Each structure stands twice: as C-alpha cells, then as structure tokens.
Amino acid sequence: MSKTELARFKSVKANQTKYGIGRVIRKQVTAERLLTCITMISLLLLWLIVTELKLFTDVVVPSPQKVLRSFWEIAHNGYKENSLLRHLGDSMIRLLGSFLLVLITAIPLGLISGYNSKIRAIFDPLIEFYRPLPPLAYYTLLVLWMGIDNASKIALLYLAGFAPVYIACMSGVKKIRPDYIRGAYTLGASSRQVFFHVVFPACLPDIFVGLRTALGVAYTTLVAAEMVAAVTGIGWMVLDASKFLKSEVIFVGIFIMGITGVFLDQVIRRIESKVVPWKGQE
C-alpha cells in the first residue's frame, strides 16, 4: 500500500470514528432527555393521583389545578398589592447584584490567595471562620450596620456566595501541575504572563463550578434575606403565604424559584461551554 493510499485509509477511519462517536453521543443525550421527561411526567401524575384520592388535605398538598389557578391569579392581580413581576424583579436584583459582587471580588482574591501563601494566610482564616455560620446568625448584625433596605440583603447574599467561589478558585490554583508553571518561566514568561496565561485558564473549570455552587447557596439564602422588613420578593411571598396557610401560593413561589434557578444555572453552563470548550476532553 502506497503512502497516499495509507493516508487516505487513515483519514476514512478517523472520520468513521469521529462520526460514530458523535452518533453515540447524540443517542445518549436523547435517552437522557427522554428519561428526564418521563421522570417529570411521573412526578406530576403522582401529585395528581395523591390529590385526587384526597390522601392529604389541600392545606398540606394542594392539587395541581389549585396551584395553576393561584399562579394565574397572582400573575394577573399580583400578591399583596405588588405584581408578580415586581416580586420576581426585586428578588433577582438582590440575587444578581450580590452575584456580580462575588464575581469581581471572590475570583481575583481566590486566585491570588492560591498563588501567594502570604495573601492566603491573611484571608483564609477569616473566610473559614464565617463560612460555616448560618446566615441568620450574622444577618441581624448586617441589618444593624446597613439598615433594613436592600443593602443588608445584598450583603447577606454576597457573603453566602463569596466563600464557595473563593475556595473553588484557590483549590484550582493548587491543582495546577508545577511543571506547567516552571515550563512557562523556562520559556521566558513573566510572573504576570504566567498568572494570566497559565494559572487563570487552568482554573476556569473550577471557577465555574464555584459560580454554580455560589448561585445555589445565594438563592437558598434569599428567603432568609427577605424575612426581615421586606414587602416584596419571591422568598417573602412564600414566607407571607405560610403565615396564612396558603399552600398553593407557597407551591407557586417554590416553582418560580426552582425554574428561575435552573434557568440561571443553564446560563452559567452555556457560558462555561463557550469559555472552557476543552473541559471534559482528554
């Protein structure tokens, strides 16, 4: 076999392997989506059956029809003199405002702390001290210092989301193989070039994991943030409805928080797939 024929043969085999793997991946994704749809439909049917058989009262488990009617009413008439869009918008302002602060502070500080042991010695003990504390334990202090408006709420969500991103960034730096850094220095790179062209790209997968974790932690803390002196917000709506045993409103709030949480997580995943296309590839 000549060299030309051998090269052509290898090219054909490579294409077959490539498209074969692609076909397998597409089948796997389709199967996973089908399983997800079956799971969601099964849960909905189970919920419907339980409520139709009156196994629980409407106060404990409202029927899907009742929850839909409640959502329709809140969407058109609002809840407690504020529209659903106002409640959702105020919650998103608090959540996304704190998340933006986390982005511009936790990422650089976490990377620098992982890169420099002296910086880590300053900040790491402080973060490790407050990280295990329940948010409500220091929320009262934030209210005393910053008032009852959005500032204290954003600060609480910021502190809740800061630690996961900081730890993820620091851990990402520590996982970098030393020979990568030594190799960059050997090729004549400066400390700044090593940081931005070796350390930062290598830490991107860990950074996005930290961002997704921080978003979830901040969202769970949102309800606690809206407990004190708030009259708007999805978390506040759920808490207010619980005082009057309006379980259908509680379900509406939970579903809205769940759907928006999944949407925001998918946005981060999409950005990650564009910024870190090599993740998961050997």
Side-chain angles (χ1 to χ4, degrees):
M1 184 181 291
S2 65
K3 291 184 178 180
T4 304
E5 290 173 339
L6 181 61
R8 188 178 302 156
F9 175 78
K10 289 182 177 179
S11 176
V12 171
K13 292 295 291 182
N15 287 333
Q16 288 176 348
T17 303
K18 176 182 176 182
Y19 293 120
I21 292 174
R23 194 177 297 112
V24 170
I25 292 174
R26 285 195 295 271
K27 287 182 179 179
Q28 183 178 356
V29 171
T30 303
E32 290 172 353
R33 289 177 178 172
L34 181 61
L35 287 173
T36 300
C37 292
I38 292 173
T39 301
M40 300 305 296
I41 293 172
S42 299
L43 290 175
L44 182 60
L45 288 175
L46 179 63
W47 181 18
L48 185 62
I49 292 170
V50 167
T51 53
E52 287 296 324
L53 293 177
K54 305 294 183 182
L55 298 179
F56 301 96
T57 64
D58 279 351
V59 175
V60 178
V61 182
S63 65
Q65 301 93 319
K66 190 174 182 180
V67 173
L68 284 174
R69 285 196 299 268
S70 178
F71 171 75
W72 187 260
E73 182 180 350
I74 293 173
H76 282 77
N77 302 322
Y79 182 80
K80 294 294 181 72
E81 300 180 357
N82 286 295
S83 67
L84 180 60
L85 189 61
R86 171 70 185 279
H87 286 295
L88 182 60
D90 285 355
S91 290
M92 289 298 103
I93 288 173
R94 293 159 187 159
L95 180 66
L96 297 180
S98 63
F99 192 69
L100 179 61
L101 291 176
V102 168
L103 278 175
I104 62 179
T105 57
I107 292 177
L109 186 59
L111 293 175
I112 294 172
S113 296
Y115 197 62
N116 190 310
S117 59
K118 293 180 180 178
I119 301 295
R120 182 167 64 250
I122 295 173
F123 291 100
D124 200 52
L126 300 175
I127 295 168
E128 289 297 332
F129 172 77
Y130 95 81
R131 183 172 65 89
L133 296 177
L136 290 179
Y138 51 84
Y139 187 32
T140 51
L141 288 176
L142 294 176
V143 171
L144 288 174
W145 294 340
M146 307 179 73
I148 60 176
D149 293 329
N150 274 347
S152 60
K153 296 173 177 57
I154 291 175
L156 180 67
L157 300 181
Y158 167 75
L159 291 174
F162 181 91
V165 177
Y166 172 86
I167 293 172
C169 293
M170 191 170 59
S171 175
V173 175
K174 290 182 177 180
K175 288 194 302 185
I176 299 174
R177 291 173 55 179
D179 54 330
Y180 289 170
I181 297 177
R182 287 196 297 266
Y185 279 126
T186 302
L187 294 173
S190 63
S191 297
R192 183 175 181 275
Q193 289 173 326
V194 169
F195 184 82
F196 284 103
H197 296 284
V198 178
V199 175
F200 181 65
C203 293
L204 280 174
D206 294 275
I207 290 174
F208 277 100
V209 170
L211 291 176
R212 291 177 60 196
T213 305
L215 183 65
V217 173
Y219 215 150
T220 57
T221 311
L222 181 65
V223 176
E226 293 178 344
M227 284 178 64
V228 179
V231 293
T232 58
I234 298 298
W236 173 84
M237 188 175 75
V238 170
L239 288 170
D240 184 78
S242 67
K243 298 176 184 177
F244 304 98
L245 299 178
K246 296 181 178 179
S247 57
E248 67 278 6
V249 178
I250 297 174
F251 270 62
V252 169
I254 290 173
F255 279 126
I256 291 174
M257 287 191 286
I259 292 170
T260 52
V262 170
F263 172 76
L264 293 173
D265 184 74
Q266 288 297 319
V267 169
I268 296 177
R269 286 191 179 194
R270 287 294 181 90
I271 296 173
E272 181 183 16
S273 66
K274 301 295 183 183
V275 177
V276 196
W278 64 86
K279 184 179 179 180
Q281 299 179 5
E282 297 295 337

